[in-house]
Amino acid sequence: MTIGDISPKKERKSRRSKHVVDEKAPLLPKRQDEAGGYDEFNGASFTGAVFNLSTTIVGAGIMALPATMKVLGLILGIAMIVFMAFLTDASIEFLLRFSRAGKSTSYGGLMGDAFGKYGRIFLQVCVLVNNIGVLIVYMIIIGDVLSGTSSSGVHHAGVLEGWLGEHWCNGRTFVLIVTTLGIFSPLACFKRIDSLRFTSALSVALAVVFLVITVGIAIIKLISGTVMMPRLLPDVTDLTSFWKLFTTVPVLVTAYICHYNVHSIDNELEDSTQIRPVVRTAMALCSTVYIMTSFFGFLLFGDATMDDVLANFDTNLGIPYSSLLNDAVRVSYAAHLMLVFPIVFYPLRLNMDGLLFPYSSPLAQSNTRFACITAGLIAVIFLGANFIPSIWDAFQFTGATAAVCLGFIFPAAVTLRNHHFIATKKDKMLALFMIVLAVFSNAVAIYSDAYALFKKNSGAGPRA
């Protein structure tokens, strides 16, 4: 199976009669006579596709958005969220348009069509780096929320420790083993991304639960007069505060990254013309969740809003049942990440297979290869999250680079390459803007992470 093959793909309105000609194309069998042993699959629904794409978008980054409001103010912050939604939609439109022109059925196939073998390999490596890093971070966060953490030198009790006390059964390693074997592994075994539509719907619902709780608390405190009206514009008083505005760019630029799953969702749609409405609906849904989370999170905590707003729910909220609401927020967030895991894992496995076995039969037709790659990747993610203390620091650098490449640099590069001569002057100007924004965002992210790491190491040095 290969992610990078450029397989014939005819434009069509219905996929019920579709037959995959190239046996190496990264599509899953849709008929029993294509590959024995598979049930008939008549295509994914519009709703299922929207939930899968929305879950790909809304990961852990949602918790960093209220802090961007603290820096930018509500007006500029919300405007930037909307702007990045439109820019991401344009980058996905580039992917789909050039994929149709080159009859490519995967992101890797598109990069191979535009830049050859090494373009495809570079894309696959970026997906591996980005998605492995993201999933390790998710597992670390789940462990922190459920079992607590002492990474900062001060112990923060996890939800389970608060409920049951300190026991071996709610220790970090044991909880993550149970989560990996009981949740991650079963959900990672689905061979079609459409099979995850129900867990994706539940994941979006859990994000909405967090939003509803935040909105409710904010309204209660607003009525009681214990919260102030949040700042509408950035507070720029000197050069330092001006440069601080740019630290929000990496968070906003990577807020909608979902490009590595677009082709998989498109390939399984019953009606190929629905992919653009699917993308736009998912963008609208996620933008709404982002804007409301940012607004009410900043309204609730004001200038005390932390870089990860989840940390604000580790304190007394000043209302009845504060502890219960804190636990509800943290548990719903941990459950949300558990259900995001398989949707991010899906393209990771496909690209790993394409990198290791570029000329093999489709991954769905080889149970042995499917099981080995799945088990191997889950083991790597588990070990990275539990036994490599500095891995988060490493992925702060590599993850930022890989994410902006996947979201903006690669689609823009394909447009500028214009292999099929379909790009307009406006497309090329927008592509250049995407590349400049992505490079600037990555430079700011790397500088900020390096500076924070330097300060942390300096503070942890030997004392006189």
Side-chain angles (χ1 to χ4, degrees):
M1 176 271 176
T2 174
I3 283 294
D5 288 341
I6 306 164
S7 310
K9 181 178 180 180
K10 296 181 180 179
E11 191 71 26
R12 64 275 183 200
K13 291 187 176 180
S14 175
R15 304 197 182 207
R16 289 182 180 275
S17 59
K18 178 173 183 268
H19 180 75
V20 179
V21 177
D22 188 348
E23 66 173 4
K24 297 176 183 177
L27 301 182
L28 300 172
K30 297 189 179 185
R31 288 285 187 272
Q32 237 173 346
D33 57 2
E34 286 183 57
Y38 289 93
D39 295 328
E40 184 173 341
F41 177 59
N42 288 325
S45 66
F46 178 88
T47 306
V50 168
F51 281 131
N52 280 333
L53 194 60
S54 299
T55 300
T56 307
I57 295 171
V58 182
I62 188 175
M63 293 299 174
L65 288 173
T68 65
M69 300 298 110
K70 182 175 71 171
V71 177
L72 297 175
L74 283 179
I75 294 176
L76 184 57
I78 291 174
M80 286 299 298
I81 290 175
V82 174
F83 172 73
M84 288 311 305
F86 280 106
L87 194 64
T88 304
D89 179 69
S91 69
I92 293 174
E93 195 275 331
F94 286 163
L95 288 186
L96 293 170
R97 195 195 324 163
F98 282 89
S99 294
R100 295 285 192 263
K103 296 181 173 56
S104 301
T105 55
S106 69
Y107 201 165
L110 174 63
M111 288 294 289
D113 181 37
F115 299 104
K117 172 185 175 183
Y118 294 106
R120 170 181 60 81
I121 291 175
F122 191 27
L123 178 281
Q124 291 169 336
V125 170
C126 283
V127 173
L128 262 59
V129 170
N130 180 74
N131 290 29
I132 288 176
V134 165
L135 294 177
I136 287 176
V137 170
Y138 285 1
M139 194 174 284
I140 290 173
I141 294 173
I142 291 168
D144 289 348
V145 170
L146 296 181
S147 298
T149 179
S150 302
S151 59
S152 62
V154 179
H155 181 68
H156 295 275
V159 173
L160 295 179
E161 185 179 338
W163 291 349
L164 306 174
E166 192 172 346
H167 299 289
W168 65 270
C169 61
N170 54 38
R172 183 188 192 88
T173 303
F174 182 78
V175 166
L176 288 181
I177 288 175
V178 172
T179 303
T180 300
L181 296 179
I183 299 176
F184 296 155
S185 297
L187 292 179
C189 289
F190 288 114
K191 293 186 176 181
R192 295 192 184 95
I193 197 167
D194 184 62
S195 301
L196 297 169
R197 63 191 181 278
F198 297 115
T199 56
S200 292
L202 181 56
S203 174
V204 173
L206 288 168
V208 173
V209 167
F210 163 73
L211 174 60
V212 168
I213 293 174
T214 304
V215 171
I217 296 171
I219 291 175
I220 290 172
K221 299 194 74 172
L222 189 63
I223 293 173
S224 64
T226 54
V227 295
M228 302 292 291
M229 183 62 189
R231 188 169 56 253
L232 298 180
L233 296 172
D235 183 19
V236 180
T237 56
D238 52 24
L239 189 60
T240 301
S241 59
F242 174 75
W243 286 113
K244 189 177 180 182
L245 297 178
F246 295 101
T247 62
T248 63
V249 174
V251 175
L252 293 166
V253 167
T254 57
Y256 294 95
I257 300 296
C258 60
H259 302 62
Y260 47 77
N261 259 340
V262 170
H263 286 85
S264 296
I265 292 170
D266 180 28
N267 291 336
E268 293 186 10
L269 271 174
E270 178 182 8
D271 183 352
S272 67
T273 62
Q274 288 186 329
I275 186 60
R276 290 297 294 138
V278 164
V279 172
R280 287 171 178 162
T281 304
M283 288 293 164
L285 174 61
C286 294
S287 297
T288 303
V289 172
Y290 281 172
I291 290 170
M292 294 189 68
T293 300
S294 302
F295 177 83
F296 286 100
F298 185 38
L299 175 66
L300 179 58
F301 299 112
D303 288 335
T305 304
M306 300 185 187
D307 290 343
D308 181 354
V309 76
L310 188 68
N312 287 104
F313 288 94
D314 198 19
T315 57
N316 189 347
L317 299 174
I319 62 172
Y321 307 106
S322 173
S323 177
L324 179 63
L325 291 171
N326 282 339
D327 286 350
V329 166
R330 295 160 74 193
V331 169
S332 65
Y333 180 57
H336 164 72
L337 292 185
M338 290 177 190
L339 299 178
V340 174
F341 188 99
I343 209 77
V344 177
F345 185 86
Y346 185 90
L348 171 62
R349 177 175 51 213
L350 283 181
N351 282 274
M352 175 62 81
D353 182 69
L355 200 59
L356 297 178
F357 308 102
Y359 304 110
S360 299
S361 59
L363 180 60
Q365 294 182 6
S366 174
N367 290 334
T368 301
R369 211 165 77 242
F370 184 92
C372 289
I373 293 176
T374 300
L377 287 172
I378 289 178
V380 167
I381 293 165
F382 179 83
L383 293 174
N386 285 276
F387 301 109
I388 307 178
S390 61
I391 197 164
W392 195 327
D393 295 330
F395 278 120
Q396 282 181 310
F397 297 97
T398 57
T401 304
V404 296
C405 284
L406 293 170
F408 296 101
I409 293 179
F410 290 163
V414 168
T415 302
L416 293 174
R417 178 74 172 83
N418 199 16
H419 189 60
H420 299 284
F421 306 103
I422 58 174
T424 64
K425 184 178 180 180
K426 180 182 176 182
D427 293 335
K428 293 180 179 180
M429 291 177 62
L430 183 58
L432 280 173
F433 174 76
M434 287 180 184
I435 291 176
V436 171
L437 178 65
V439 171
F440 175 74
S441 165
N442 195 44
V444 171
I446 290 176
Y447 173 79
S448 300
D449 292 337
Y451 182 71
L453 188 60
F454 175 76
K455 285 188 66 176
K456 184 175 74 172
N457 290 339
S458 297
R463 297 180 180 177

